[in-house]
Amino acid sequence: MSCKVVLAQGISVSYREELKNTIKTRNIRPKLVGFLANEDPAAAKYAEWTAKTCAETGVEFELRKCSRNDLEDKIIEANQDAGVHGIMVYYPVFGDRQDQYLQNVVDVSKDVEGLHHKYVYNMYHNIRFLDEAKTKKCIIPCTPLGLVKVMEYVGVYNGILPHGNRLHGRIVTIINRSEIVGRPLAALLANDGAKVYSVDINGIQEFHRGVGLQLKKHEVSETTLTVEDVLPLSDVVITGVPSPSYKVPSHLIRDGAVCINFSTFKNFDGDEIKKKAAIYVPAVGKVTVAMLERNLVRLYDYQAQDRAF
Ligand code: NAD
């Protein structure tokens, strides 16, 4: 087996070092507040990692626990506190549209997760800057952004091509189309030039910018394709199915593919996938946290300039 297993810890090192140096040399102390209003063990784990990484890099992190019914008021309090530079919430809280509402209660200038409508809209429309002078980059949702960084690290992005086109010619299957990860990720990768098959329990959509990348931003079309059709075509397979019993059928994976799992559960059979994949990334959580902190430092600077929003 010649599969290379790449761990999130190693991928995130350079980002964590860069953050640490920036914070130390500029002598700043950005503060991130995380709200935990559920009993989900995955959320508690995520909070634990956030605290640990923040301690390493010099970010001040405060975990605030509250009941879900108090959460809105607590977010507003943090929005108004000039000593808080970034806010995040461990979702799901209500697990329905109320979570989407809460994502927009977080002040856009403090939204380290990039889930506010303004950022999500800009991402879907391939608008990369907040200002006309193009000095302030948009905040990108941190898990999709982390997955982009994973793909850059393992060499799926082609550095010879111009920025914004570096996935031209790549075929990617993403098994998950949630609003938090799968759909924004499909849009980001298609905006960067990939042909993306976005799989959910109801079917498969194709995200692309047309032949020769003739479109400025991606478009989406419905397909009648199945997982059996798209997996053998895919250079990259990314999966995030929140179920312990779900396994991507390894026999359908193209020989030499890049396989990335972001689910809390192991969506790939570790032994089987190593027989097919060239590169296997079993988890990405640590990269996500590094992106969260990167977004925080960016927002800290924008708040200091105070003119982006
Ligand atoms: P979700 O429940 O909102 O979405 C799940 C998606 O998977 C849906 O699009 C659904 O249609 C699809 N799906 C479910 N079963 C499927 C199947 N059998 N075949 C094809 N598609 C199927 O969940 P979410 O918020 O996107 O989270 C998914 C997983 O990712 C969870 O385990 C979560 O903990 C994890 N997660 C990880 C990170 C990270 O940084 N590592 C961040 C966010 C979420």
Side-chain angles (χ1 to χ4, degrees):
M1 280 189 281
S2 61
C3 177
K4 185 166 175 62
V5 178
V6 181
L7 302 180
Q9 168 78 12
I11 304 171
S12 64
V13 164
S14 64
Y15 295 105
R16 284 185 285 125
E17 282 304 312
E18 193 189 323
L19 281 159
K20 203 166 151 179
N21 285 337
T22 305
I23 289 170
K24 195 170 167 205
T25 50
R26 290 178 51 200
N27 195 21
I28 54 175
R29 186 92 171 133
K31 178 168 178 174
L32 174 63
V33 168
F35 286 104
L36 189 60
N38 66 23
E39 300 295 325
D40 182 356
K45 188 91 207 152
Y46 188 11
E48 213 178 278
W49 280 343
T50 325
K52 192 162 172 265
T53 318
C54 286
E56 275 168 26
T57 48
V59 164
E60 185 181 343
F61 175 70
E62 186 185 329
L63 184 65
R64 297 184 183 171
K65 294 185 185 176
C66 65
S67 81
R68 62 185 196 170
N69 292 319
D70 288 339
L71 182 58
E72 183 175 357
D73 287 345
K74 297 286 177 195
I75 294 173
I76 294 169
E77 215 172 86
N79 280 343
Q80 291 165 349
D81 181 348
V84 175
H85 306 102
I87 296 171
M88 66 173 301
V89 176
Y90 295 97
Y91 292 104
V93 176
F94 290 92
D96 57 20
R97 282 178 56 92
Q98 199 167 339
D99 285 2
Q100 221 169 322
Y101 168 72
L102 289 169
Q103 282 157 16
N104 287 288
V105 171
V106 174
D107 195 288
V108 67
S109 67
K110 298 190 178 184
D111 176 18
V112 291
E113 292 182 281
L115 297 176
H116 193 282
H117 180 72
K118 182 182 178 105
Y119 297 132
V120 176
Y121 178 92
N122 285 355
M123 184 203 58
Y124 281 123
H125 290 263
N126 207 5
I127 298 168
R128 299 193 178 212
F129 292 91
L130 286 164
D131 58 335
E132 283 194 12
K134 298 191 172 177
T135 59
K136 298 180 183 88
K137 282 187 176 174
C138 287
I139 299 297
I140 294 179
C142 55
T143 307
L145 177 62
L147 284 156
V148 166
K149 298 299 176 191
V150 169
M151 288 171 68
E152 283 178 352
Y153 184 91
V154 301
V156 178
Y157 275 71
N158 184 342
I160 283 182
L161 298 175
H163 274 293
N165 288 351
R166 290 185 167 175
L167 292 179
H168 191 187
R170 304 283 193 227
I171 300 181
V172 182
T173 290
I174 303 169
I175 309 172
N176 175 305
R177 204 186 305 128
S178 69
E179 281 302 312
I180 301 267
V181 194
R183 195 167 84 91
L185 179 65
L188 279 175
L189 302 186
N191 283 341
D192 276 342
K195 182 198 274 191
V196 179
Y197 293 115
S198 168
V199 182
D200 82 348
I201 35 175
N202 300 311
I204 299 186
Q205 294 178 341
E206 187 182 312
F207 288 54
H208 60 85
R209 275 175 52 205
V211 174
L213 305 186
Q214 55 194 294
L215 306 170
K216 276 212 165 70
K217 73 170 191 68
H218 75 279
E219 65 175 21
V220 183
S221 50
E222 298 295 334
T223 78
T224 52
L225 297 168
T226 63
V227 168
E228 284 72 16
D229 298 320
V230 299
L231 285 182
L233 303 174
S234 299
D235 305 299
V236 182
V237 178
I238 303 173
T239 174
V241 174
S243 154
S245 58
Y246 179 82
K247 296 287 174 224
V248 178
S250 301
H251 69 280
L252 295 174
I253 301 283
R254 191 173 72 69
D255 183 28
V258 171
C259 295
I260 304 168
N261 175 59
F262 69 83
S263 171
T264 325
F265 303 100
K266 298 246 168 282
N267 285 177
F268 291 107
D269 176 322
D271 292 335
E272 288 303 312
I273 204 62
K274 285 180 206 158
K275 292 180 191 162
K276 289 297 259 321
I279 293 169
Y280 171 43
V281 184
V284 304
K286 294 205 167 79
V287 186
T288 303
V289 176
M291 292 307 115
L292 201 80
E293 290 187 67
R294 212 160 163 256
N295 284 348
L296 174 72
V297 172
R298 197 161 276 175
L299 288 173
Y300 177 93
D301 288 337
Y302 294 171
Q303 285 161 34
Q305 294 162 32
D306 198 29
R307 267 164 286 282
F309 303 98

